[in-house]
Amino acid sequence: MKHPIRAGWKAFTLVETLLCCLLIALLLGALLSGLLFLQRTLMPPRMLVGGAILPVAPSYVPFPAAVKLQERLIAHLDGSIATYVFGGGHSGLAEVPPRVVTQPLQATALPSIGSFSSGLPQDSANFQRLYAAELGGMRSDASLSEFSVVTIGAHDGALAVTCLVQCRSSEVRPAGDSRLWRRFEVSLCDIDGSALSYEFLERPGTERSYCAGVMHTWHRLNEAMGVFEEGPACVVFPDPWRFGGDLESSAGEATFSRFTYLLPVGA
């Protein structure tokens, strides 16, 4: 004969166990739902474009790679004796002469110039004209947000092209979206064998308080006298973290790019 108290204890334990299992299942379900919610809200969005999954700005994901590229570029700028910037627009000129307008270079590898006997002019257009064969020509379909930066410095006792940076943009349609997005690709190659890059997508219709690209200025420009003395070029690289209209940041700051330079052009 079973003891009634023991039988009741066993029944109570079974019910309690079932209730605990049910409670644990509910807690695990709530935790999983919370994690999925955090993943959707806190993880940066990405889009599939041509087989590549790209982050959508503003995103921190490509930012470390962008910083490394900028650090490498700064090192070459510090050690250069000449810098040339191709592409972009011009300020301070009522009418821009065709001979001073440049487009980004077509080169995808570091150009090699064996001799600089033709000189280092004080403007990018004449530098491209003198060394067009070695630089590989210019693109004809570039937008104003696309540009190239070339540095000239000493290497093994001679002058050489030490660094090439290309900023390119294009309109793309991600998978499952009929709208046009803008894709930014920035790459660097140098004489030491470095190959750095970062890329991201900009949302359609995004308003921003700055634009990636270049604005050239001039000290003196007189075609009749053959004077072409280019001033500094304002170069703005796309910033993936604060790019794309991040106007509602926690600090209440407007969008800006950390990668903005005033580069002296010429030797």
Side-chain angles (χ1 to χ4, degrees):
M1 180 177 179
K2 296 182 178 180
H3 197 284
I5 297 180
R6 291 181 178 178
W9 177 256
K10 289 183 178 179
F12 178 77
T13 304
L14 180 60
V15 172
E16 185 182 52
T17 302
L18 292 175
L19 289 175
C20 287
C21 290
L22 180 60
L23 181 59
I24 291 173
L26 291 175
L27 290 174
L28 289 176
L31 178 61
L32 180 60
S33 298
L35 290 175
L36 292 176
F37 174 78
L38 288 175
Q39 183 183 31
R40 289 193 299 268
T41 56
L42 298 181
M43 291 295 289
R46 300 178 182 228
M47 299 291 287
L48 178 64
V49 178
I53 300 177
L54 301 179
V56 178
S59 173
Y60 185 78
V61 173
F63 186 68
V67 171
K68 290 181 180 178
L69 187 148
Q70 302 300 325
E71 288 177 337
R72 193 64 181 165
L73 171 60
I74 291 172
H76 284 292
L77 291 172
D78 288 342
S80 67
I81 66 167
T83 303
Y84 297 99
V85 181
F86 307 93
H90 295 260
S91 64
L93 296 176
E95 184 175 343
V96 181
R99 75 177 274 125
V100 306
V101 176
T102 61
Q103 295 289 336
L105 301 179
Q106 294 178 344
T108 57
L110 189 71
S112 177
I113 300 178
S115 172
F116 286 90
S117 57
S118 297
L120 295 173
Q122 296 299 313
D123 67 292
S124 299
N126 277 316
F127 179 80
Q128 194 281 332
R129 193 170 295 108
L130 290 174
Y131 302 103
E134 294 88 345
L135 294 174
M138 296 184 293
R139 294 173 53 196
S140 59
D141 59 345
S143 68
L144 290 177
S145 60
E146 300 179 275
F147 57 87
S148 304
V149 178
V150 169
T151 62
I152 311 297
H155 182 74
D156 291 339
L159 291 182
V161 177
T162 54
C163 182
L164 168 67
V165 179
Q166 299 274 40
C167 177
R168 299 195 175 187
S169 67
S170 58
E171 290 186 334
V172 296
R173 283 189 172 89
D177 196 320
S178 60
R179 299 173 299 171
L180 284 174
W181 294 56
R182 182 160 293 277
R183 178 178 184 172
F184 281 93
E185 303 171 81
V186 182
S187 62
L188 176 150
C189 55
D190 66 13
I191 201 165
D192 299 321
S194 297
L196 304 173
S197 65
Y198 67 94
E199 57 184 321
F200 62 90
L201 294 176
E202 178 193 26
R203 299 174 186 273
T206 299
E207 295 181 358
R208 55 185 185 269
S209 59
Y210 80 94
C211 295
V214 171
M215 184 59 68
H216 298 267
T217 57
W218 290 83
H219 291 311
R220 292 194 301 165
L221 176 56
N222 189 317
E223 285 193 282
M225 298 179 60
V227 177
F228 299 90
E229 293 184 6
E230 187 174 355
C234 181
V235 181
V236 183
F237 284 88
D239 184 332
W241 192 10
R242 294 303 304 277
F243 192 84
D246 184 20
L247 299 179
E248 297 180 357
S249 65
S250 59
E253 300 171 347
T255 301
F256 68 97
S257 174
R258 296 170 175 84
F259 312 130
T260 301
Y261 303 85
L262 192 65
L263 300 182
V265 175

